[in-house]
Amino acid sequence: MIAIGSDHGGFALKQAVIEYLDSKKIAYHDIGCHSTDSCDYAYSAKAACELVVNGECDKALLFCGTGIGISMAANKIHGIRAACCSDYFSAKYTRMHNDANVLCLGGRVVGPGLAIELVDIFLNTEFEGGRHQRRVDQLSALENGTL
Ligand code: RB5
């Protein structure tokens, strides 16, 4: 199950990605927003990321105008490793090396075609582990104040 959420700036791209998830029969939980009415990305980040942290969802896809604000909000949440990506290499390696559990995309930055490619590679690339596990553990230690 994939959590999905946006603010108004990411709404249209979220809907395009939802169409793709539907076509691939990938289950998702859309926490909103549900229109282009102005809203604040921190609330959407919180609602979607909580589904990841509590185990209801494996990963989240988040959208705002740039992808940046919602990624900043997501990365404030304990257990979240969110990456804002607009290229294929970053979307692939943030899974392989950072074990990112949230992909953030900018609705005013990437078009729907590229967004779908990025979502696809993000959802289908495994974490490499090994030396990268040590570094991901250090991210958790930073979060816990034990690094
Ligand atoms: C909203 O206008 C916009 O600031 C927001 O979607 C996002 O781009 C912030 O990072």
Side-chain angles (χ1 to χ4, degrees):
M1 178 74 78
I2 304 299
I4 189 160
S6 75
D7 74 355
H8 56 290
F11 173 73
L13 192 59
K14 172 170 72 72
Q15 299 313 113
V17 168
I18 281 175
E19 263 185 48
Y20 171 73
L21 297 177
D22 283 337
S23 77
K24 293 286 175 190
K25 301 198 183 335
I26 297 171
Y28 58 86
H29 183 147
D30 180 10
I31 61 84
C33 65
H34 300 293
S35 77
T36 53
D37 292 350
S38 183
C39 62
D40 300 328
Y41 52 79
Y43 292 97
S44 302
K46 182 170 190 268
C49 290
E50 277 176 354
L51 295 174
V52 175
V53 170
N54 73 19
E56 284 179 62
C57 291
D58 309 310
K59 295 187 179 79
L61 304 172
L62 296 177
F63 307 82
C64 69
T66 57
I68 296 171
I70 206 157
S71 69
M72 289 181 171
N75 277 316
K76 301 287 182 199
I77 298 166
H78 204 97
I80 293 299
R81 292 177 302 281
C84 178
C85 298
S86 53
D87 69 278
Y88 191 87
F89 186 88
S90 301
K92 179 174 178 178
Y93 277 84
T94 199
R95 285 289 311 128
M96 289 171 66
H97 288 187
N98 315 128
D99 198 16
N101 49 13
V102 179
L103 176 67
C104 303
L105 299 171
R108 298 170 186 156
V109 180
V110 298
L114 175 57
I116 286 162
E117 293 283 319
L118 297 176
V119 165
D120 197 50
I121 191 73
F122 183 80
L123 295 182
N124 291 301
T125 303
E126 294 301 319
F127 178 48
E128 256 183 23
R131 68 189 187 281
H132 301 294
Q133 183 62 60
R134 182 179 73 241
R135 294 162 184 160
V136 169
D137 290 344
Q138 289 163 359
L139 295 178
S140 303
L142 270 173
E143 224 170 34
N144 296 327
T146 55
L147 186 75

